[in-house]
Amino acid sequence: MQPIMDTSLWLVHKRRALAQPADGADFLMRRTAEDLADRLGAVERRFGKAAVLFCQTSAAAEILAESGKVADIVRVETDTAFLNGGAGLIAPLETVPFEPESLDLAVSLLSLQAMNDVPGMLIQIRRALRPDGLFLGAFAGSGTLFELRESLLAAETELYGGASPRVIPFTDVREAGALLQRAGLALPVADVETVTVRYASLFNLMADLRAMGETNALTDRSRRPGSRKLFARAAEIYAERFSDPDGRVRASFSIVWMSGWAPDASQQKPLKPGSAKVSLKAILEAPDGQ
C-alpha cells in the first residue's frame, strides 16, 4: 500500500508544536475532549483498564479520570515528550501495544487522520478489547479545511497552471461506519460535528495549524516551498469566497466520531429477516391510535 501520509514528518511537526506552544492553539483538542466527556457520560457502565492512544496531550486521559468511570488509565504515545513528564507507554504510531482482550476501553482523539492503515489500527483495537469493551474515537474528517484547500488549489492553478496536494484527504462519516464494521466492532456508530472558527485572514489560520503541528505531511507533497506570491493570492481568494460581512474568514473542522463494541453474546442482535410479527405495510395503513 502506497503511504499517503509521511508519519515521520507529522511527528516532527507535532514535536515542534509541543516545543513552541502558542496560547489557544489547542482549542480543537480541548473541544474534542469536552465532547468525549459528554459521550462517555452517556455510557452507563464502569471500565477497568483504558488505553488512551496517541492523543498527543493529556486532555483525553484527564477526561477519563474526571469521569470516575475508569479504574486504570494508560497513555500511549510515540515519544516521551508527549507524556510531558507523566507515565505511559511508548510505541510506534499505528500500533496497539496490549495483549488481546486486555482492555475495557480504548480512546483515540485527533490522530487517526494521520495514519496510513486506519483499518489495521481499528482491527488492533478490537483485538485488544475484552468482549463488550468499548472504542471511542474522533478524527478530522471530510470537509475539514475545505475553504483552505479550495483557495490554495485555485491560486496555484491560476499562477502556475497546476497544483500540488497541500491539504490531506479526509475520510467521511459513511466511510468511518464501514471501517468500524470491517474491523469487526459491534453496534458501530459514526457521526460528525462541524466546528467553524473565524480568523482575520488565511495567514492567521495557517499560524494556528502550524501551532497545532498540522501542516502538510503528505507523502506526495511538493518539496518546493510555496512562494509568497502563491499564499498572497490564496489569501485574496479565501477572503473573496469565505469571508463574513465583518471581513473575517471562516475555517471548518469536521470531527468524525466513531464508537463500537468488541462483540459479546450479551449484546443486542438485529432480528432475522422475516421474523417480524407485524408488517410495516400494516403499521402504515393502520388508523391513528391503533
Side-chain angles (χ1 to χ4, degrees):
M1 181 180 66
Q2 178 66 32
I4 295 174
M5 295 293 297
D6 183 341
T7 54
S8 295
L9 181 60
W10 183 75
L11 289 169
V12 167
H13 292 167
K14 288 293 181 179
R15 293 187 190 98
R16 181 182 63 196
L18 184 66
Q20 302 172 0
D23 288 343
D26 62 344
F27 71 89
L28 199 59
M29 178 60 78
R30 287 188 284 105
R31 167 66 182 267
T32 307
E34 291 170 2
D35 289 345
L36 171 65
D38 292 339
R39 290 167 186 269
L40 189 62
V43 180
E44 296 181 355
R45 61 173 292 181
R46 298 179 64 83
F47 301 91
K49 184 175 182 179
V52 179
L53 301 168
F54 308 112
C55 294
Q56 312 135 51
T57 78
S58 61
E62 290 168 1
I63 290 297
L64 298 190
E66 291 168 4
S67 74
K69 292 186 173 185
V70 185
D72 182 22
I73 303 166
V74 181
R75 288 187 60 192
V76 181
E77 298 289 356
T78 59
D79 192 309
T80 55
F82 297 123
L83 294 173
N84 196 28
L89 299 178
I90 303 302
L93 193 67
E94 302 192 38
T95 62
V96 180
F98 296 95
E99 295 295 322
E101 299 188 6
S102 62
L103 300 175
D104 300 290
L105 173 66
V107 172
S108 173
L109 300 187
L110 301 185
S111 63
L112 286 170
Q113 75 275 358
M115 299 184 187
N116 287 302
D117 187 11
V118 176
M121 184 67 179
L122 293 178
I123 288 171
Q124 290 182 72
I125 290 171
R126 191 260 301 161
R127 288 174 178 168
L129 288 171
R130 294 189 177 100
D132 209 31
L134 174 63
F135 166 63
L136 288 172
F139 63 93
S142 180
T144 296
L145 298 176
F146 78 89
E147 304 96 341
L148 179 62
R149 183 199 305 272
E150 182 177 318
S151 300
L152 287 169
L153 177 63
E156 198 164 10
T157 301
E158 176 185 311
L159 294 174
Y160 305 118
S164 58
R166 296 184 181 276
V167 178
I168 68 173
F170 295 105
T171 301
D172 69 23
V173 66
R174 291 170 298 179
E175 293 169 337
L179 287 172
L180 290 168
Q181 292 180 315
R182 179 177 172 184
L185 287 160
L187 308 175
V189 176
D191 62 272
V192 62
E193 295 187 3
T194 299
V195 179
T196 302
V197 186
R198 302 201 315 144
Y199 290 92
S201 72
L202 171 146
F203 296 106
N204 299 90
L205 165 60
M206 293 181 66
D208 253 8
L209 293 176
R210 183 180 177 85
M212 292 179 195
E214 290 292 352
T215 47
N216 191 354
L218 285 165
T219 301
D220 291 336
R221 69 192 180 281
S222 173
R223 266 49 175 185
R224 181 179 60 190
S227 65
R228 290 184 180 181
K229 184 178 181 180
L230 168 64
F231 289 112
R233 180 60 184 132
E236 291 174 351
I237 294 171
Y238 205 125
E240 292 166 3
R241 300 183 183 182
F242 304 110
S243 64
D244 289 329
D246 62 359
R248 296 179 68 83
V249 298
R250 302 180 299 278
S252 300
F253 296 88
S254 296
I255 307 303
V256 175
W257 277 93
M258 299 190 297
S259 68
W261 299 80
D264 184 70
S266 65
Q267 293 165 351
Q268 292 180 333
K269 302 291 190 302
L271 294 174
K272 294 181 180 179
S275 63
K277 294 181 172 58
V278 180
S279 71
L280 178 61
K281 181 175 182 293
I283 294 173
L284 294 175
E285 292 179 350
D288 291 345
Q290 297 185 16

